[in-house]
Each structure stands twice: as structure tokens, then as C-alpha cells.
Amino acid sequence: VSAVRRERQEWLLPREGELRRGLLAEVALELPTWKTYAFGVPAELAESVRPGARVTAPHGRSGREVEGYCLAVSEGEWDQTLTLIQSATPPAVELSAPLVELARWVGQYYQCTPGAVMSMLLPRTLGEVRPKRERIVRRTEAPIPEKASDRLRRLLEAVPREGVTLASLRESGAATDTLIRGAVRKGLLAVVQREVALTTDDSGRAEAPMSEEDGYALTEAQAVALQALSDAVAGEAFRAFLLFGVPGSGKTEVYVRAIRAAIARGRQAILLVPEIALATQVVERLARRFARVAVLHGQMSPRSRVEALARIARGEVDVVIGTRTAVYAPCCRLGLIVVDEEQEGSFKSLSSPYYHARDVALKRAQIERIPVVLGSATPALETWYNATLAGRYQLLELGTRVPGAELPRAELVVSDPDEGLSEDAYGASADSDANRGILSTRLRTALLATLKRRDQAILLHNRRGYAVALRCDTCGLPLRCPKCMSLLVLHHSDETVRCHRCSHRDRAPQRCPVEGCGGALQRGGLAIQRLEEELRRVAPDARVLRLDSDTMRTREDYQTSLRAFAEGAADVLIGTQMIAKGLDFPVVRLVGVIDADAPLYLRDFRATEFAFQLIMQVVGRAGRKAGESLAIVQMRREPPPALKAALAMDYRQFADAELAVRQRYAYPPFVRLARLVFADARPDRAADAARRAAETLRELAAAINPAVRVDPPEACAAPRLREMNRHQVLLRGPRETGVQKVLAAALTERKLPAVQRLTVDVDPMDFS
DNA sequence: AGCACGCCGACT
DNA sequence: GTCGGCGTGCTC
């Protein structure tokens, strides 16, 4: 500590008002602070301290060494105490000026700490990637001994003068490990380690491979859209487009050719896809249409990530296809960004910074002065508003489906299986009335008719909440409450089973408690199980394939199951939302959606939108190939007008109705929301903090921007996070930056009461 | 985050 | 009197 003090003395101003000159680094420290800090750059580190470099510096009274990232370096003067950066590692990939600007924007817009933005952009693991090493085997000066065995002689002759990699020598079959080791011991061979260059330029081949898709002539609407995008690419200015078209209208083809236009001008493109796209062949099929592609996603190993990023940064890649993180791809000459299925929730980050990749893409396009295309059949209402009423984006519409694909006929059935039933009949096999099962009479009839014609059907059950049951593999019985015999529900968060009827609660058992059974317990969705059972009763001969997140562990599971169904391995595919997205199904003649209005029972202002999107997606699945098909949408209650529009597959009608609702109740896109969650294990702390925070925020809002409103604090649903109590405060303000200004005043100046965990989510999507 | 300061009640 | 709990504030 005294050494640090002494060093500080040297940097203190000798006299009042005197200035010092030198290199200054702006540093984002990995601390929960909303500020960046300035440090001096010692001459010997001047090379390493670049934007994106990881640095350490003494910080705080104790002079403790803390880690952080360099954001910017400047030559400057200072008139205050300054400490020096202690150590620095240059960035694994260079952080370009536009990306630094984007990082600053993300920090300000999403109100997270600069350290959090930088560790998302350049995760620590990237710096830990060591270059690959390979071992080279070379002949020594020693001559081949007279008495060398045939095998040894052959090995020595097989090793060329310039050496060969150990791996290829092994592969060639010329030698075993023992033989090589022996030769090394005798001094006949030498093995040296060499660093492999991180990547190799595999290209020169800028020509994209032609595929059969390239032969297709575009429809009139596709051609018009493509022309607009090509012009924008040539214009080299910021433009935003919404490419709006029903499933099957050929959006992908427009993206591909717009990206080609960018490549033809020597530019790179980023194509963002939702997470679910990685589970299907969509990405592979897309990637095959370009010569130099990199795929980026969250589950990559640090090494392959660095390699891909390095190739992108060097301009050896023309197209980056990836999930939300790919919006930060270090492209050196970016010319176009495409966000496919922009309404998808997976573009919203689940951890700080809680950014939305679509919105970051728009900002990046603005910074880089390039066009950005959002594509969707059911745009997020925010996007639709921007493309129509607000006039911020240009709307490009692909009206009809490409020839040969027709929309299915859609019918609404209102049927509530639980109506009039007591709760304890819920799990029992009560099927007395015609409409008492999960399947309405109408859906049941249609299903049987479909099966009779030997056609395939899909049934989608919109599982409500997270209720999950446990069932014994051996005896097949579900776990029941020992006190009241109703079904027990598994709570993943704390591994307990709870009875929602009598509040009995216990640790989740590992084995079946039934006397003399002790079988393994299987987890499964309650709703899907009920549906499966009912199908067995209604159509005992039908081959049923179940697809939900409980049965599908990996991407491969998902793909093989879908392929099997496509090849006719089952008659009925049942599952959750999972099956609404992704792959094209071949000839499916009947689609049934059960509990299509389930989201409406959650308290979330986007509920109608989610329900609409689900219905549109799943109904769209049915009619992709020529021929008659039917969609039956089952709801519990008479739907609101906006949802009725889903039956007609009429997005505009939905948008008009829903926008009116959003405006009336002051919800996005008419306001900007920010959600603060105060979490604390100590009793009353979270509630207390939320109440005091709401007061403080209200005072700040009154001073800064009276248009910003602070909702009264609310307790959050089931405390899942390590049994912490959670309370939220919701801010709503004008679409401009009012909300962020109030938040910044509160956070930067630390005006909010301390809790164990505070999360700040601007434009929240999740309210649980 | 970590560390210091300052304010309170409980004790050798 | 002083030790230690906890709440608050600051770090270039």
C-alpha cells in the first residue's frame, strides 16, 4: 500500500493549476459502476493499450488491482491525481471505432455498466485462447544406421527434409508412436513444437457457388423489394426496411440476393437468425449459398469463436450468419444487416446487458451508414408501428405466397375443458361430456377423418405456465399428493413438488413412491401428457410422436424426430410451441391448436401478440404445399378482435386492433418501458428497496422529465432465483430518451437503495 | 466488488 | 471506554 501511495505522490500535481500531458486511457472497469475511469498509459504499454485491450489498474483507497477494458486512448492533459495502468493484453480481435461507438450506445440505452457491455463484447475466455500448436518431425544430421530395422528405415525415408507434422505421420500409417519415440531417443528424428497460425485464408474464391435456388425467377413483389434493397446497398447510407410477407412468400430469397448485391460491391453482410433456426437446416441451407461464410452462435467454443471473429475482422468472410451476439461481429467493411424473423423473442438477451439484437442492428446500421432489413410475416408491433404510422422504416411487402402454396382454411372452436369441473377432476380421466376432453368435438372429428384418409396431422398444445408433472416410468402412474390425491407439480427452481390444491410441499423424490414399485420418475408437461392420453383413447391405432422440450434434449433429437415425422414414421405429431417454428412440414392436412388463447391468462401486455404469432405460424405450417388443408384453432373463451384476425390470417387487422389497445393503456410502441427488479434474500428488503426506489425515481422524473411515470412497485411472481424476494418497479416514458435520463440520474449517482441483486431491463419482454 | 467511514448497541 | 454489526459512499 505504501508503494502505491508513493506512486500516487509522483502523479499528484506539484503545484495548484499545473497540467500534465501524456497518454490517457478511458477504462471500463469490471465493477458495478456506471462510470468509466481515466488512467495514465506508461510508455512500455503504449503498444498494448488499444480499444478492446484488457487492462488492470490500481483502484480504490487500497490500490487493489482491478480488471477492465480499454475503451479509448487519447493524448491529453489532466489536472487531477492519476494512476497508471499496470498491465495490458491487446484484444483478441481489434475493436473498430464503430463497435466502440455501438458499445457506448448499448451501455447508455440499456443502462448497464460499461464493464458489462465490454465483457459481453469481448468475453474473458477470448483472451485465454492459446494458439494451437502442432508438432513437426524432422530428420537429424545423423545418418541412417546400418543395422536399422526395415520398419525404422522406411519411417526415416518417409520423413521429408523440411519435416512433417506428427499428426499426418501417424495418419499415414508409416509409423507407430513407439517407433517414432525410439527414433527420437536414438537421435535419428527430432520433434519440435510450432505455433499454428490461428486461421488460414481459405479463400480467394469470392464467387458464390450457384445452387438450384438461384435459377428461380423472382415474383414481381420479390423483384421490387430486391431492387429497393440493392439501391440502398449502393446508396451507402442508413436506411431501414421491413420486409413483410406471409410464410412462403420468399423472404429468404430476397435476403440472399440483397446480400449478394452487398458482396458484389466488396462489402460484408450480417444475417441474424433466431435461436430456433440453429436447430433446423435453415442455417445450413443459407450458408451453402455463399462462398465465404462464418456462423456465430452462443454455444461455440472460445477457440472456434476467436478463429471466426479473426477471419471476419480480416475481411476473409463475406457473410456472417448468427444468433443475437452476431450483431457485434467485427466486420471491417459491413454493407448490410438482415434480421430474419425479427419478432422472435430470442433476439432479446437474457442477461445484462438486456439488449435486443434487432434494435442494436438498427443502431449499428445507423453508425456504419448502411441499410438494415427486418423480415417477418408477423412483425413485432413496435416494428410495424415504425414501418407504418411512424414512417421510420420503408415497408416492402411480399403480398402472396409463391405459386403452388395455398393457405389452409382456418376455423375457431371455443371450448373450455375445465369449465364446471372441480380442480381435483383435473388430473382424473373425466371425459363424460362430449366437449369435456382436451380435444373439442370438432377437432376430434376432423382428426379422425384425417387419419382415415391416411393423412398426417399436427396438434399443438399451448402449455400454460411451467407446470410440470412427474410420472413413473415403470407403473406409469403420475405422482399424487399424499394428502388429497391431486396431481403434484414439480418446481424446477428448488426441486420441490407442490400440491396446488392443499399446499402440501415436499422435496422432489427420485423414485416412484408407490409400494413395491420404485421406478424412475420421468418429467413431462402435464398438458402434453393429458393430450397424449386422450389421443390414445380417441384414436388407439394412430402412431403418435411427441415433441416438447422435455423429450427433446438436443438439437439432433429435434431434427431426427421431425425428419422421421416427415418420412411418415407417425400419423400425429403433438407438442408445444417448439413445433410451431422451424422446419417446413410436408403434406400436413390438419393442424390443431389447443389453448390458443393461453397467453391471455398471463399478465403480459404482449399476450395477444404472442397468441396471434403462434396461431399465424402454426396455421401457416399447414398449407405450404398444394392441396386442401384445415386448421382448427381451439380457445377457451371468445377471443378479442385482435385474435380473431389470426383466423383470417390478417396481420393488418390484428395490428390495427392491438395498436388501439396499446395506445389506450400506454404500452409500447407508444411508450418506452424500463423494468427494475430488486432482489434480496433478507425479508422485506426487496419490497422496502422497491418502494423507496419508486419514490426517488418519481422525484427525479419530476425534475428531469415529468412525462416519465413510475408505476407503484409490485411483487414479482414465484420467487425462483434462489428463493430471493423480488419486487419490480416499472417506468414508462416517451419513446425518446426520457426513461434512460431518469435511470441514469438514479444509477450513476447511486441514488437507489442497495439490494443483493438489482437488474435494469430497458424494453423488457419478460415480466415474470 | 471492496474498502473506509460513521453510527449504533453490547461487552471484556 | 471499545469492539463489531450494518448502512452509505466512493473509487480515475
Side-chain angles (χ1 to χ4, degrees):
Chain A
V1 173
S2 65
V4 172
R5 289 263 156 77
R6 224 173 305 122
E7 192 181 6
R8 275 165 168 263
Q9 292 299 321
E10 289 169 30
W11 285 84
L12 274 169
L13 287 174
R15 256 183 287 118
E16 179 113 356
E18 191 182 325
L19 299 177
R20 278 181 169 271
R21 280 198 73 79
L23 276 183
L24 287 174
E26 185 190 5
V27 173
L29 293 172
E30 283 191 313
L31 294 177
T33 173
W34 273 262
K35 295 172 181 168
T36 58
Y37 295 83
F39 291 94
V41 182
E44 67 273 19
L45 292 180
E47 278 289 292
S48 310
V49 180
R50 306 198 287 267
R54 264 195 93 75
V55 300
T56 65
H59 190 249
R61 286 165 196 270
S62 62
R64 185 174 62 98
E65 201 175 303
V66 288
E67 290 179 88
Y69 294 88
C70 172
L71 269 177
V73 185
S74 58
E75 169 89 35
E77 293 180 329
W78 62 90
D79 61 355
Q80 50 177 315
T81 336
L82 206 65
T83 42
L84 290 174
I85 284 180
Q86 239 157 32
S87 67
T89 325
V93 277
E94 293 299 317
L95 198 63
S96 63
L99 276 178
V100 173
E101 197 182 335
L102 190 67
R104 289 183 195 278
W105 180 83
V106 168
Q108 267 159 31
Y109 186 92
Y110 292 101
Q111 287 296 310
C112 66
T113 65
V117 186
M118 294 306 287
S119 30
M120 168 203 59
L121 225 53
L122 296 162
R124 195 191 297 255
T125 52
L126 290 192
E128 286 161 7
V129 173
R130 301 259 152 273
K132 259 189 211 156
R133 287 164 184 274
E134 61 184 5
R135 278 173 291 179
I136 305 289
V137 182
R138 212 174 279 137
R139 284 277 288 121
T140 57
E141 296 304 317
I144 301 176
E146 292 294 317
K147 55 182 177 31
S149 68
D150 280 359
R151 282 175 60 82
L152 181 58
R153 193 175 297 273
R154 250 181 291 135
L155 165 65
L156 294 176
E157 277 160 6
V159 177
R161 183 156 297 281
E162 66 277 11
V164 64
T165 65
L166 186 60
S168 64
L169 196 59
R170 277 183 186 142
E171 227 170 89
S172 71
T176 58
D177 272 9
T178 30
L179 192 61
I180 298 172
R181 212 171 296 132
V184 171
R185 207 174 38 235
K186 286 174 198 141
L188 300 169
L189 289 179
V191 179
V192 288
Q193 286 212 345
R194 192 177 66 182
E195 275 188 10
V196 185
L198 207 56
T199 55
T200 48
D201 189 351
D202 62 342
S203 65
R205 203 168 59 106
E207 270 305 290
M210 292 297 274
S211 69
E212 56 179 278
E213 282 111 322
D214 293 286
Y216 287 127
L218 297 181
T219 64
E220 175 71 25
Q222 280 177 315
V224 169
L226 178 61
Q227 189 59 53
L229 297 182
S230 308
D231 290 349
V233 166
E236 305 198 355
F238 169 67
R239 297 281 305 273
F241 297 89
L242 168 59
L243 186 61
F244 173 56
V246 296
S249 60
K251 293 187 288 293
T252 309
E253 202 48 47
V254 178
Y255 305 149
V256 168
R257 299 194 194 194
I259 291 171
R260 293 245 167 103
I263 298 173
R265 305 189 69 86
R267 295 304 206 74
Q268 294 167 299
I270 297 176
L271 171 57
L272 297 180
V273 296
E275 240 146 46
I276 188 77
L278 290 174
T280 67
Q281 315 102 318
V282 175
V283 167
E284 279 168 50
R285 217 165 59 204
L286 269 169
R288 251 182 279 133
R289 302 201 52 196
F290 303 101
R292 306 191 302 167
V293 186
V295 176
L296 289 178
H297 60 265
Q299 278 84 59
M300 284 171 97
S301 74
R303 161 161 282 127
S304 49
R305 174 170 288 267
V306 183
E307 289 182 356
L309 294 178
R311 285 202 302 139
I312 294 165
R314 285 200 302 264
E316 292 166 16
V317 163
D318 299 317
V319 187
V320 179
I321 304 179
T323 51
R324 61 173 179 265
T325 43
V327 75
Y328 304 108
C331 298
C332 52
R333 24 166 237 277
L334 192 59
L336 176 68
I337 308 179
V338 179
V339 186
D340 187 25
E341 302 292 341
E342 63 81 32
Q343 82 290 349
E344 273 291 319
S346 63
F347 286 124
K348 176 82 175 174
S349 168
L350 298 173
S351 56
S352 177
Y354 294 92
Y355 69 92
H356 197 300
R358 176 235 294 139
D359 300 329
V360 177
L362 280 149
K363 188 64 202 183
R364 183 158 188 195
Q366 209 181 337
I367 291 171
E368 309 243 15
R369 298 197 185 84
I370 57 167
V372 55
V373 188
L374 313 180
S376 181
T378 55
L381 273 178
E382 287 85 343
T383 303
W384 182 252
Y385 175 80
N386 282 328
T388 55
L389 298 173
R392 288 193 186 90
Y393 314 155
Q394 187 180 332
L395 179 64
L396 301 173
E397 197 165 349
L398 301 182
T400 50
R401 298 189 149 201
V402 290
E406 265 173 57
L407 279 178
R409 191 156 53 84
E411 278 179 28
L412 170 70
V413 177
V414 178
S415 154
D416 187 347
D418 293 340
E419 185 137 20
L421 288 187
S422 71
E423 219 187 308
D424 93 1
Y426 198 86
S429 54
D431 192 21
S432 46
D433 254 331
N435 254 354
R436 264 288 143 85
I438 300 175
L439 302 171
S440 62
T441 316
R442 176 72 187 105
L443 183 50
R444 196 181 311 170
T445 322
L447 179 65
L448 290 174
T450 305
L451 292 172
K452 202 169 171 190
R453 287 196 311 269
R454 310 224 137 263
D455 283 333
Q456 286 181 304
I458 301 178
L459 296 181
L460 182 143
H461 197 306
N462 211 349
R463 190 162 73 180
R464 261 201 287 177
Y466 293 93
V468 165
L470 282 168
R471 164 187 303 265
C472 174
D473 238 3
T474 316
C475 64
L477 292 173
L479 205 61
R480 286 183 183 276
C481 175
K483 291 180 190 141
C484 70
M485 289 313 282
S486 60
L487 288 185
L488 285 174
V489 170
L490 175 72
H491 286 242
H492 282 302
S493 51
D494 54 1
E495 285 293 307
T496 58
V497 283
R498 296 182 204 178
C499 173
H500 287 182
R501 186 160 179 262
C502 70
S503 339
H504 166 78
R505 188 176 156 163
D506 203 358
R507 292 209 60 76
Q510 299 297 310
R511 300 268 143 200
C512 175
V514 170
E515 201 72 35
C517 175
L521 290 172
Q522 203 187 16
R523 288 155 188 222
L526 192 54
I528 296 297
Q529 279 176 19
R530 269 181 85 195
L531 177 59
E532 200 174 0
E533 280 167 23
E534 195 164 315
L535 265 177
R536 292 247 153 79
R537 275 201 309 277
V538 172
D541 298 332
R543 294 166 303 161
V544 177
L545 178 65
R546 186 175 129 192
L547 192 76
D548 58 24
S549 46
D550 298 314
T551 54
M552 299 293 109
R553 290 285 134 128
T554 67
R555 240 166 241 169
E556 283 72 53
D557 286 345
Y558 181 81
Q559 279 196 27
T560 42
S561 295
L562 282 180
R563 207 164 298 137
F565 181 68
E567 284 159 7
D571 307 306
V572 188
L573 177 68
I574 66 173
T576 53
Q577 285 93 320
M578 276 185 97
I579 61 174
K581 295 165 186 175
L583 201 77
D584 291 350
F585 290 106
V587 200
V588 170
R589 292 288 184 225
L590 174 68
V591 167
V593 190
I594 295 148
D595 263 3
D597 54 346
L600 301 193
Y601 301 98
L602 302 170
R603 46 152 214 190
D604 187 328
F605 70 90
R606 273 185 258 258
T608 311
E609 187 174 358
F610 290 150
F612 176 83
Q613 284 167 351
L614 180 79
I615 295 168
M616 286 282 280
Q617 277 164 1
V618 77
V619 172
R621 293 277 154 240
R624 290 213 143 183
K625 294 272 151 57
E628 279 254 318
S629 49
L630 176 65
I632 293 180
V633 178
Q634 209 172 284
M635 301 192 198
R636 286 173 181 250
R637 311 252 186 283
E638 197 57 36
L643 252 196
K644 274 203 172 129
L647 277 305
M649 305 269 305
D650 188 340
Y651 180 85
R652 282 168 198 274
Q653 191 193 330
F654 153 77
D656 289 346
E658 187 59 14
L659 280 174
V661 174
R662 298 278 181 93
Q663 184 154 36
R664 177 142 30 95
Y665 296 105
Y667 276 117
F670 298 97
V671 297
R672 165 139 296 132
L673 293 184
R675 180 183 186 233
L676 288 94
V677 181
F678 297 83
D680 207 297
R682 294 166 291 188
D684 301 331
R685 273 306 262 279
D688 226 52
R691 207 191 50 244
R692 280 156 57 209
E695 262 168 52
T696 309
L697 289 166
R698 232 170 254 137
E699 283 163 22
L700 286 170
I704 296 166
N705 187 342
V708 175
R709 303 279 148 169
V710 184
D711 283 11
E714 277 178 72
C716 294
R720 311 190 110 239
L721 292 167
R722 272 180 265 111
E723 291 298 303
M724 278 189 172
N725 298 300
R726 292 154 72 237
H727 289 255
Q728 71 165 27
V729 174
L730 206 60
L731 270 75
R732 45 181 99 210
R735 290 175 44 86
E736 296 66 44
T737 53
V739 168
Q740 279 96 340
K741 277 196 189 125
V742 172
L743 280 176
L747 296 168
T748 319
E749 302 306 319
R750 292 180 184 279
K751 295 239 167 82
L752 302 182
V755 280
Q756 285 171 343
R757 235 177 75 113
L758 169 65
T759 47
V760 180
D761 187 353
V762 174
D763 298 339
M765 301 269 285
D766 180 19
F767 294 87
S768 54

